[in-house]
Amino acid sequence: MEKLVGIGVSPGIAIGKAYLRNKELKEHQRSDIMKNQVEAEITRLKQASRQVKEDLVLLIKSASEKIGLTNAEIFNAHLLILDDPEFIPQVISIIDQEKVDAVTAINKVVKKYSLLFSQVQDEYIRTRISDVEDVAGQIKDKLLRKDRDKTDFTEPVILLADDLTPSETVLMDPDMLLGFAAAGGSKTSHTAIIARCLEIPAVVGVGEVLLSKENDSEVTIIDGDNGIIILNPTPSVLDEYNKKQESRKQLITSLNSFKNRKAATVDGRTIEVAGNMGNLGDLNRLLEQGSDGVGLFRTEFLYMEREKLPSEEEQFIVYREIALKMAEKPVIIRTLDIGGDKNIPYLGLPAEPNPFLGYRATRMYFNRPEIYKAQLRAILRAAFSGNIKIMFPMISSVQEVRKAHSIIREVKAELIREGHDFSDIEVGIMVEIPSAAIIADVLADEVDFFSIGTNDLVQYTLAADRTNKSVSDLYSHYHPAVLKLISLTVEAAHSKGIWVGLCGEAAADPLLIPFFIGVGLDEISVSAGSILRTKRDIGKWTVTEAMEITHKLLRTKSVEEVEFILSNSSKE
């Protein structure tokens, strides 16, 4: 038996036959070219880059189905590398000046980037070199006329490899890949993120010792929880891990029992547990997990990776399909939320120094009504087939809500004149700006429901960009100010007789479940993978217990105090 230690990046235990993939990194032999061959070599490079870009567009679509739209945006970074004003032009410059083949030139540029990235302190940024290498590798494969290695296994295996690129990982068949270990890699790599999304146990950063194992038939254990690989385990160790694996399976079976049950506290208060979705692929996962509905449908995917706005009819078909599949269950469609970290080039939005505080979401509706009228028409028509609700994002004032209502009235009048069937539906807003939470009692008179968007509420309340690693220590949904704004919003809504949901990263935090029960949330919307656990966790508490913890939390003065109360109250 031999034990190797690395970094556990995707939890779970895998036991099975090992398959060693030791790519021999042979140095590409430099090929000098003549001056009259330079133009042809540059043309070959450009053609290969175009082909890779076309492949990436298709990959993003298929990846969206596998790992969700948000995670598939990893590959948008690869498109950005191809469009980088420095990357390909540097390769072209080397071909032209040094009279070498394109593969040699690519290797030189990647080596330069690798050196630069290695000197960066931030691990997240440092590991982005793997994305550059992935894109470079795809271009080189095109130039050398190599097929991408999908590693088509004939039986389920545990893969031992030098490293896996993000594109390789997402292309693998999860039914044939029990788990994997890599000599290189890190916890923040895109490969690690994809492994977690696909629920494949994985350990990375094991070192070159992993590649010295010649026997690819040995039984191997991957312990993704603890970052351990065990080669040729003894019978007792194998028995121990078989029991752990069986225990995990029993947990999954236990969670599956919540699929067709409503989430309810010990003393009978029910809370809807809905799911977030960013594309049609997410819908199937929500249905499989027994979601009580769609609590947040991000419609941006309909507008991205294309050259013009989707038509009303295109949107109508998608919205109707979701409504029909969900039957009587609610489907909350958030109207287009672009700006901030999401840009759509063909809309020609102006560059802004601080887009998160700029021209985004609802703020665009009134200057660009043609965009939103088509979407609202499609939603209203699709609502005739199911239980659809409209939700407006980025609301900060009563005036914005009233203007949004005026556009809905215009659209309804148009549909009536044209003889279309449509339904009157509930209209709600996202409470994700502190001003909206503070005047929630006023806004509650204007709408049918609230959905508290915790990701933006946290960043705007604390003035800490959630995507900025430099201020990540300031960004916390445990901050007392955030908890008080959530409580204030729920109290105001219920005083006016409307219901309140909550979404965002905080929604999936098991430690916050008693707080959500205690403040009286009516609905929680989480990703598909968190639905069953959230239902189970709600069932651990009585309302009295939850309210006692909530009262303590609303009297706290610091994040540390909140964390202490929650960790000491946990029923995990």
Side-chain angles (χ1 to χ4, degrees), residues 232-246:
N232 284 324
T234 62
S236 61
V237 169
L238 184 59
D239 183 56
E240 176 191 347
Y241 273 94
N242 275 322
K243 286 177 179 175
K244 287 183 179 180
Q245 194 177 54
E246 183 58 33

Side-chain angles (χ1 to χ4, degrees), residues 63-76:
S64 296
E65 298 294 317
K66 281 186 171 185
I67 61 177
L69 180 67
T70 302
N71 292 306
E73 288 178 359
I74 286 168
F75 298 104
N76 283 327

Side-chain angles (χ1 to χ4, degrees), residues 126-347:
R126 193 167 62 246
T127 57
R128 293 290 72 78
I129 185 60
S130 63
D131 295 308
V132 177
E133 291 170 343
D134 192 349
V135 173
Q138 293 179 60
I139 298 172
K140 289 190 287 185
D141 284 346
K142 296 293 185 187
L143 290 165
L144 298 171
R145 298 183 179 178
K146 288 184 182 177
D147 290 329
R148 292 292 284 165
D149 180 14
K150 295 185 185 179
T151 313
D152 295 321
F153 309 116
T154 56
E155 60 181 322
V157 298
I158 288 173
L159 177 64
L160 309 181
D162 52 345
D163 204 354
L164 274 80
T165 65
S167 59
E168 284 177 325
T169 308
V170 82
L171 286 170
M172 287 190 180
D173 181 354
D175 292 329
M176 301 298 282
L177 187 63
L178 300 173
F180 72 81
S186 75
K187 192 155 195 166
T188 57
S189 71
H190 283 159
T191 296
I193 293 169
I194 293 169
R196 289 193 289 274
C197 290
L198 295 174
E199 299 180 353
I200 299 171
V203 177
V204 303
V206 184
E208 294 300 312
V209 65
L210 183 71
L211 306 179
S212 65
K213 310 304 165 188
E214 294 182 2
N215 182 1
D216 65 358
S217 297
E218 60 190 332
V219 174
T220 298
I221 296 171
I222 298 286
D223 181 346
D225 298 303
N226 299 300
I228 295 171
I229 303 107
I230 300 174
L231 308 171
N232 284 324
T234 62
S236 61
V237 169
L238 184 59
D239 183 56
E240 176 191 347
Y241 273 94
N242 275 322
K243 286 177 179 175
K244 287 183 179 180
Q245 194 177 54
E246 183 58 33
S247 177
R248 186 178 288 272
K249 287 178 181 176
Q250 288 175 2
L251 173 61
I252 292 170
T253 300
S254 172
L255 288 175
N256 284 339
S257 69
F258 289 90
K259 279 187 179 180
N260 299 312
R261 289 160 56 182
K262 286 285 186 183
T265 60
V266 175
D267 44 359
R269 179 192 286 180
T270 60
I271 298 177
E272 298 285 320
V273 179
N276 306 327
M277 62 175 287
N279 58 36
L280 289 174
D282 291 338
L283 179 61
N284 291 329
R285 287 191 285 274
L286 296 185
L287 290 167
E288 288 167 4
Q289 297 301 308
S291 172
D292 291 332
V294 177
L296 172 62
F297 177 24
R298 304 178 184 94
T299 56
E300 290 74 45
F301 87 97
L302 290 166
Y303 295 78
M304 299 171 75
E305 303 304 331
R306 53 188 299 147
E307 296 178 356
K308 62 180 182 178
L309 287 166
S311 69
E312 175 187 331
E313 204 60 29
E314 285 178 275
Q315 295 185 71
F316 167 69
I317 290 169
V318 171
Y319 302 149
R320 183 178 60 178
E321 180 179 347
I322 296 167
L324 289 171
K325 283 190 174 181
M326 277 292 171
E328 77 285 352
K329 292 181 178 179
V331 176
I332 300 175
I333 299 178
R334 184 179 71 184
T335 53
L336 181 62
D337 183 6
I338 54 170
D341 59 343
K342 297 186 288 288
N343 188 21
I344 298 177
Y346 61 79
L347 291 180

Side-chain angles (χ1 to χ4, degrees), residues 19-67:
Y19 177 98
L20 179 64
R21 188 195 73 175
N22 188 356
K23 280 186 179 176
E24 304 227 354
L25 299 176
K26 295 180 181 175
E27 182 117 7
H28 173 74
Q29 294 299 310
R30 170 184 172 134
S31 177
D32 294 319
I33 60 176
M34 304 296 290
K35 185 176 181 179
N36 62 1
Q37 295 176 304
V38 167
E39 188 176 339
E41 191 66 5
I42 291 172
T43 299
R44 273 201 337 122
L45 171 69
K46 289 180 177 178
Q47 287 174 340
S49 298
R50 279 196 298 271
Q51 289 170 350
V52 170
K53 184 177 283 191
E54 290 168 3
D55 288 348
L56 281 170
V57 170
L58 294 174
L59 179 62
I60 289 168
K61 289 181 179 177
S62 64
S64 296
E65 298 294 317
K66 281 186 171 185
I67 61 177

Side-chain angles (χ1 to χ4, degrees), residues 5 13 30 45 73 99 123 137-138 218 254 266 314 324 364 391 393 399 427 462 487 501 508 510 538 553 570:
V5 178
I13 294 167
R30 170 184 172 134
L45 171 69
E73 288 178 359
K99 308 296 185 292
E123 184 194 7
Q138 293 179 60
E218 60 190 332
S254 172
V266 175
E314 285 178 275
L324 289 171
M364 295 176 56
M391 180 163 67
Q399 289 79 7
V427 177
L462 305 181
S487 177
I538 289 170
L553 292 173
S570 174

